[in-house]
Amino acid sequence: MTTADVRPALRELAETSNAWPFEEARKIVARLKKTPKDEVIFETGYGPSGLPHIGTFGEVARTTMVRHAFRVLTDDKIKTRLIAFSDDMDGLRKVPDNVPNKEMLAQHLGKPLTQVPDPFSNEYPSFGAHNNARLRAFLDHFGFEYEFMSSTECYTSGRFDKALLTVLERFEAVMKIMLPSLREERAQTYSPFLPICPRTGVVLQVPVVAHDAKAGTISYDDPDTGERMTTPVTGGRCKLQWKPDWAMRWFALGVDYEMAGKDLIDSVKLSGEICRALGGTPPEGFNYELFLDEKGQKISKSKGNGLTIDEWLRYASPESLSLFMYREPKAAKRLYFDVIPRNVDEYQQFLDGYQRQDEKQRLSNPVWHIHAGNPPKPDMPITFSMLLTLVSSSNAENAETLWGFIGRYRPGVTPQTHPKLDALVGYAIHYFRDFVLPEKKFRQPTEAERAALSDLRDALSQLPADASAEQIQDVVYEIGRREPFLDHKKAAKDGKPGVSLDWFNMLYQVLLGQEKGPRFGSFVAVYGVQNTIDMIDGALARSA
C-alpha cells in the first residue's frame, strides 16, 4: 500500500469505524501525538518450545490487521515494521508430548532451545531452529510482511548488550517491581539475570550473590561445584527471566504495539512497569481471549491439543482461518475441527456481502481487514456445507465424482474456471473422510416419518430432472406440512402452517446420517432428483 492508495474520505471513515483493528490503531495514533516517531514497531512473540500452533498465527494475523488499519489512519506516511520475535534462548523446561525422540530431548533439559538437538531430523541445527523454520514457512505461506528476529541472535550478537547493562544498572528497581509478585520461597532466590553455565550450557536458575554495574558482571555460586563464578551479562553469557526479558526487549527495540493472551494480563503489567524503570514506554496493545480445545482446555504447544497450522490447511482455506482470528478477539473460542465448515462458508458470505456495502460498512466487514482493504471478487458457486453433504450422500472418494454433480448444477463451472472451488472440493473430501464418515450414524425413521419419506419420494418423482432448487424446496415444504412437523407459530407466505426444523433435520439424520445440512431443495438440485429418490428408497429399505 502506498500513500496514493489511502483516500482522505477513507481515512475519515476509518477514524470513526468501530471495527476493532481501527480501535487498536487509534491507540497508536494517540501515542504518537504524545511522543512523535518516524517509525512504528509492531511485535509478536513466540516461544519455540513446541511446534507452532494456530494461536501463534492468530497473533501475527491480528497484529497485521492493526498495522494496516494504522497505515490507513496515517495516510501511510509513517514507516512501520512488524517483528516476529522468537524466544529461542529460553531453556527447555519439559519435553513436549507431541515430538519424537523424547529420551534424547530429556538429556538436554535446561539448555537454550537453540542448543537442543532437533528431535525430528538432522535438517536443522537445533530444536529451536526447527520450530522457527516451521513458523516462518507458515507466515511466508500467508504472505505476511514481517521481520523475523531470534532471541539467541540478539543476545549473542551484542544487539541487547546496551539494554542488558541498563537492566544491571537498575537492578534494584527491577527487583522492587518483581519481588512482590513472587511466592516467598522463590523471592528469596530470584534474580532477573539467568547465567548460562559455561560447563554444561544450561540456563541456571540461581541466586545472584553480587552484581557490578560498572564492570557489567554478576556473580553466582555454581550449583554443582559450589565455585563462585563471575560472568558478564552481555554477549549471550546471560539471559533475563521472561518478564524482565519482555520489558528489556520492548525497551531495546522500541516496540510500540504488542498484544497478548488474557492469561498474561499480570505479566504485561509487570513488564510494563519494568520497561518504565528502564526509561522506556511500554507498548500499546490488548489482551485477547484464549483458544480452547474440544474439552474447553487452553491449547498448548507442548500438549499438542487443539489444531495445528497444517491441520487447518488440510481442511480449509487460509482465508477461513483469518476470519476465525478476526472475529471477537476478546471472546474465548473453541479451536477445534468442528469450527472449520462454518468459517469457510461465512467467509464467502462476508465476501458476497462486501459487493453490496457502502464504504463505511465495508470497513466493518472482516474481509476488508483479511485482505488489507482489497478483497477479491466473490466467485464461489457452491458452499462448503453443500460440498460436504454431496460427499456424504455419494460417498465420493475422488474430486471427479463431485465435479460431476457441480457441472450439472452449474454448467460451465470447471476446475479450470474456478480453481478456488477445486481447492474447496479437496478440502471437503479430506474433512468428510476424517470427521464426518467416522461419526456417520443413520437414524431409523418412525412410522410417521416413513410415511412422510414415502410421500416425498413420490412427489419428487413427479418433478422434471432439471427442476430448480425453489421448485424442489416448495415440494419438500408441502410434504412436511403434517404432524409432527407442523409449526403453527409461523405461517408460510400462502397462509398455510409453517414447517419446523425437525422435518429437515429428520431428512438429514435418516437419509445422510448427519445432524444437519444445507437447504434441502438446493442439495437435491445439485445431487439430482433421481439420486435423491434412490437415496430415499435406500433409507426405506434399511428401516423396513
Side-chain angles (χ1 to χ4, degrees):
M1 184 173 71
T2 65
T3 305
D5 293 324
V6 184
R7 301 183 298 278
L10 178 62
R11 187 188 69 245
E12 290 171 11
L13 292 172
E15 287 171 349
T16 58
S17 173
N18 60 3
W20 70 262
F22 285 119
E23 292 177 343
E24 291 302 298
R26 287 196 286 269
K27 294 180 186 176
I28 310 168
V29 173
R31 176 188 180 94
L32 292 184
K33 287 180 180 177
K34 296 178 183 176
T35 312
K37 289 180 67 179
D38 295 331
E39 181 181 63
V40 169
I41 306 297
F42 295 81
E43 185 184 60
T44 63
Y46 163 65
S49 57
L51 300 178
H53 58 57
I54 288 180
T56 308
F57 159 77
E59 197 168 303
V60 180
R62 288 167 170 169
T63 304
T64 296
M65 293 172 187
V66 176
R67 181 187 183 188
H68 177 253
F70 172 80
R71 295 175 66 181
V72 171
L73 286 172
T74 56
D75 291 339
D76 204 20
K77 292 178 180 178
I78 299 174
K79 184 180 178 183
T80 62
R81 291 165 56 208
L82 170 57
I83 295 173
F85 194 93
S86 172
D87 289 307
D88 56 17
M89 201 165 166
D90 284 353
L92 179 65
R93 289 185 289 275
K94 63 179 181 178
V95 177
D97 296 332
N98 58 342
V99 298
N101 295 313
K102 294 184 177 64
E103 297 81 6
M104 180 274 288
L105 283 182
Q107 298 173 23
H108 297 276
L109 286 173
K111 292 182 181 179
L113 293 163
T114 45
Q115 299 301 316
V116 175
D118 181 9
F120 293 93
S121 67
N122 295 321
E123 183 179 357
Y124 298 97
S126 69
F127 187 34
H130 174 99
N131 291 333
N132 287 341
R134 291 283 293 270
L135 174 72
R136 295 175 72 175
F138 184 67
L139 298 181
D140 291 342
H141 174 80
F142 274 80
F144 286 121
E145 181 187 331
Y146 69 98
E147 175 186 336
F148 179 79
M149 202 171 284
S150 155
S151 175
T152 299
E153 193 279 330
C154 287
Y155 269 100
T156 58
S157 69
R159 182 166 191 165
F160 281 165
D161 281 359
K162 184 177 179 182
L164 289 167
L165 291 172
T166 302
V167 176
L168 188 60
E169 289 170 5
R170 306 185 185 181
F171 188 96
E172 301 300 339
V174 173
M175 292 289 282
K176 188 175 180 180
I177 294 166
M178 285 301 304
L179 290 180
S181 71
L182 305 173
R183 297 188 306 273
E184 183 178 351
E185 182 181 355
R186 184 156 188 247
Q188 292 174 356
T189 61
Y190 180 84
S191 163
F193 287 96
L194 302 174
I196 311 296
C197 181
R199 182 171 47 80
T200 63
V202 168
V203 181
L204 296 175
Q205 297 266 355
V206 292
V208 168
V209 296
H211 59 278
D212 187 336
K214 191 170 289 187
T217 62
I218 58 169
S219 298
Y220 65 95
D221 293 332
D222 187 301
D224 294 328
T225 67
E227 181 184 358
R228 177 64 52 89
M229 306 290 293
T230 297
T231 183
V233 300
T234 53
R237 296 175 184 87
C238 290
K239 78 171 298 292
L240 293 175
Q241 298 266 15
W242 84 270
K243 288 172 189 138
D245 183 83
W246 206 6
M248 180 275 296
R249 187 198 314 163
W250 290 341
F251 172 66
L253 301 178
V255 176
D256 297 290
Y257 188 88
E258 181 166 4
M259 57 181 70
K262 189 177 180 180
D263 56 337
L264 299 180
I265 288 177
D266 291 340
S267 301
V268 170
K269 181 180 177 183
L270 284 171
S271 294
E273 291 179 19
I274 294 170
C275 184
R276 291 187 187 92
L278 300 179
T281 303
E284 308 301 320
F286 77 95
N287 294 101
Y288 54 81
E289 262 288 3
L290 305 179
F291 297 116
L292 310 175
D293 65 12
E294 79 278 17
K295 298 177 182 177
Q297 302 295 312
K298 175 188 170 185
I299 62 171
S300 161
K301 291 190 294 292
S302 59
K303 290 181 181 177
N305 58 339
L307 284 175
T308 68
I309 289 164
D310 294 336
E311 283 170 335
W312 186 292
L313 292 185
R314 172 174 166 80
Y315 305 114
S317 65
E319 293 84 1
S320 65
L321 176 54
S322 293
L323 173 63
F324 180 83
M325 294 304 169
Y326 175 86
R327 302 171 89 172
E328 302 173 328
K330 295 189 178 182
K333 292 188 290 188
R334 289 175 70 253
L335 181 52
Y336 200 59
F337 297 103
D338 56 4
V339 307
I340 290 176
R342 173 193 165 201
N343 281 278
V344 174
D345 280 339
E346 291 191 354
Y347 164 77
Q348 196 59 43
Q349 291 168 16
F350 281 119
L351 200 60
D352 292 339
Y354 185 84
Q355 307 302 313
R356 301 185 294 274
Q357 293 176 321
D358 61 33
E359 201 149 37
K360 181 178 180 180
Q361 292 171 325
R362 286 178 170 184
L363 295 188
S364 294
N365 188 322
V367 299
W368 190 93
H369 299 275
I370 290 169
H371 295 285
N374 189 30
K377 292 194 180 303
D379 191 17
M380 190 63 68
I382 194 164
T383 65
F384 190 56
S385 174
M386 179 69 77
L387 287 175
L388 285 175
T389 304
L390 282 173
V391 181
S392 184
S393 58
S394 62
N395 288 314
E397 289 296 321
N398 56 66
E400 287 75 20
T401 303
L402 278 183
W403 274 107
F405 294 122
I406 296 168
R408 187 182 66 239
Y409 179 62
R410 289 280 190 265
V413 174
T414 69
Q416 291 71 38
T417 62
H418 289 70
K420 287 193 175 181
L421 177 57
D422 193 36
L424 205 64
V425 165
Y427 296 142
I429 291 173
H430 287 153
Y431 194 92
F432 169 75
R433 288 175 181 168
D434 293 352
F435 302 111
V436 179
L437 186 59
E439 300 297 323
K440 201 171 182 179
K441 295 176 183 175
F442 292 92
R443 178 167 74 76
Q444 292 295 311
T446 65
E447 281 305 311
E449 291 169 345
R450 277 182 56 83
L453 285 169
S454 182
D455 289 346
L456 177 61
R457 180 216 181 281
D458 293 342
L460 289 175
S461 68
Q462 303 302 312
L463 289 174
D466 60 350
S468 70
E470 289 304 322
Q471 289 175 303
I472 297 167
Q473 191 74 0
D474 288 343
V475 168
V476 176
Y477 264 110
E478 193 59 41
I479 299 301
R481 285 195 176 96
R482 64 177 72 196
E483 296 293 351
F485 305 119
L486 287 176
D487 187 344
H488 297 283
K489 293 181 180 179
K490 62 180 182 182
K493 293 179 181 178
D494 57 8
K496 294 180 181 179
V499 180
S500 74
L501 286 175
D502 291 341
W503 165 238
F504 297 97
N505 291 343
M506 182 277 288
L507 293 177
Y508 284 106
Q509 292 163 6
V510 172
L511 299 180
L512 290 165
Q514 62 191 54
E515 286 301 310
K516 297 182 184 297
R519 195 166 184 261
F520 197 75
S522 299
F523 160 68
V524 176
V526 181
Y527 188 50
V529 172
Q530 186 57 51
N531 286 334
T532 305
I533 292 171
D534 294 343
M535 183 192 302
I536 296 173
D537 286 341
L540 292 173
R542 282 197 306 271
S543 62

